[in-house]
Amino acid sequence: MNTAVVSEDAQVVVRPLSAHTGAEISGVDLSRPLTRSQIKAIRNALLEWRVIFFRDQFLSHEQHVVFSAQFGELTVGHPVFGHVEGHPQIYSISKFRKETRFEGEPLRRPWTGWHTDVTAAVNPPYASILRGVTIPPYGGDTQWTNLVVAYEKLSAPLRAFVDGLRGVHRFAPPQGAKGTDAFASAVEQHTLVSEHPIVRVHPETGERALYVSPGFLKQIVGLAPRESQVLLELLWEHVTRPEFTVRFKWEAGSVAFWDNRTTAHLAPTDIFDLDFDRQLYRTTLVGDVPVGPDGRTSVSLEGSPMGAAAAIALN
């Protein structure tokens, strides 16, 4: 069945977009406070489909923040790259932003650019909420992949092996590229390095997900460099298999809301070959510290946890 009413009372309608990942939600106005049943229905859809999309939601910064706060505490816009002036919970994602761009051509591999948000922090955001404002008439699509189904599709012996592994995540330019001066300065002032389990147990559902953010995960603890490289490349290639993914075509007023604990996503690069502007804005919600199948939690190697206090301090 292509369309399902999640809650007859809430009239929240969910339309799945692929076999494993992504659903489009209608029947709600995000500019207004949601009812309890609407919040529950949206949360349930998020847990099931990992990323959910809304259309025709023309929100102000203030409305974006109010909507987000109904699902958790907000972080500062970005722990390394800052926030929109006057709106400490909002992060600007612009075609022309410089602080997160790189110089030089990175080594291009199938997983280049894929990432889970801010896994260099010991408690990465549990969710991100991105809204489109200025959208090109074509190009600029974003893709997400389902890290739970990716884990489940590994062979049983490999699942058993990776269940006990841990990896080091940090901010750094992709291989072959060099960070801009602004990037290097921001990272130096706000260094974040954490050790996370390679397999993360979801705190709400108990599902296991391959927590292998290609953009941040640099090495597997305890393995020789070559062993680490080969295993990571195998896992990164695996989690970005097309059948695990969904591709979203943005429109002005579109909103994407994803579970950062069970997804990785790929920002578009084709926009740099086009003359059109592209402007989106993101909020993130405070996350918990990941836990592996063995019960061990993540540990911070450098930097502070992400939290609501940082946003308040900057207000």
Side-chain angles (χ1 to χ4, degrees):
M1 189 166 74
N2 291 328
T3 304
V5 178
V6 175
S7 168
E8 293 183 2
D9 178 51
Q11 289 300 301
V12 175
V13 180
V14 177
R15 183 173 65 89
L17 298 179
S18 75
H20 301 291
T21 313
E24 191 167 302
I25 292 187
S26 59
V28 291
D29 180 355
L30 305 189
S31 70
R32 303 170 62 87
L34 302 176
T35 66
R36 287 187 178 181
S37 57
Q38 288 175 325
I39 292 172
K40 180 180 179 181
I42 291 170
R43 286 186 66 92
N44 288 343
L46 180 69
L47 291 176
E48 180 176 2
W49 293 104
R50 319 301 176 186
V51 55
I52 52 179
F53 306 105
F54 305 83
R55 299 287 191 184
D56 300 318
Q57 306 288 339
F58 297 94
L59 307 180
S60 66
H61 286 336
E62 291 80 8
Q63 290 169 330
H64 188 171
V65 168
V66 170
F67 166 67
S68 304
Q70 295 172 98
F71 295 90
E73 291 184 284
L74 279 79
T75 72
V76 67
H78 195 287
V80 175
F81 303 119
H83 58 89
V84 172
E85 186 175 355
H87 300 277
Q89 302 94 342
I90 300 283
Y91 179 52
S92 170
I93 296 179
S94 166
K95 173 180 176 178
F96 300 106
R97 60 187 167 147
K98 296 296 185 184
E99 69 273 19
T100 56
R101 298 298 303 159
F102 307 109
E103 298 172 336
E105 179 67 17
L107 176 62
R108 294 285 176 185
R109 295 167 294 188
W111 53 85
T112 297
W114 284 91
H115 65 284
T116 298
D117 284 335
V118 201
T119 59
V122 71
N123 63 328
Y126 106 70
S128 300
I129 302 171
L130 183 63
R131 83 178 198 273
V133 175
T134 303
I135 303 299
Y138 52 87
D141 300 353
T142 306
Q143 299 176 66
W144 283 263
T145 192
N146 184 331
L147 300 178
V148 172
V149 72
Y151 173 81
E152 293 170 349
K153 294 292 186 178
L154 289 176
S155 65
L158 189 52
R159 286 200 305 270
F161 179 55
V162 298
D163 275 348
L165 299 178
R166 296 169 71 84
V168 175
H169 297 239
R170 70 173 70 239
F171 275 97
Q175 186 178 351
K178 176 185 176 184
T180 62
D181 290 342
F183 177 93
S185 176
V187 171
E188 184 177 353
Q189 294 177 44
H190 307 281
T191 302
L192 289 174
V193 185
S194 295
E195 180 185 296
H196 296 300
I198 294 295
V199 176
R200 177 177 186 172
V201 179
H202 196 287
E204 296 182 66
T205 67
E207 298 168 301
R208 296 184 183 187
L210 274 176
Y211 206 55
V212 291
S213 174
F216 293 105
L217 177 54
K218 304 305 179 184
Q219 65 191 74
I220 298 178
V221 176
L223 297 191
R226 179 62 177 156
E227 294 171 339
S228 175
Q229 178 190 20
V230 170
L231 180 56
L232 285 177
E233 291 185 354
L234 183 151
L235 295 175
W236 289 334
E237 180 182 90
H238 176 74
V239 300
T240 55
R241 281 168 49 177
E243 63 267 36
F244 303 157
T245 69
V246 67
R247 185 180 187 120
F248 185 64
K249 175 167 266 315
W250 290 93
E251 300 171 351
S254 296
V255 173
F257 183 174
W258 65 92
D259 189 336
N260 205 50
R261 302 163 295 190
T262 58
T263 61
H265 59 278
L266 177 66
T269 56
D270 62 341
I271 54 174
F272 301 108
D273 296 323
L274 300 172
D275 293 330
F276 308 114
D277 290 344
R278 184 177 186 269
Q279 176 68 64
L280 301 94
Y281 294 98
R282 190 187 74 196
T283 58
T284 54
L285 303 179
V286 176
D288 57 317
V289 176
V291 179
D294 57 3
R296 295 174 61 199
T297 60
S298 299
V299 295
S300 174
L301 303 179
E302 292 186 63
S304 302
M306 296 183 66
I312 293 171
L314 288 167
N315 198 351

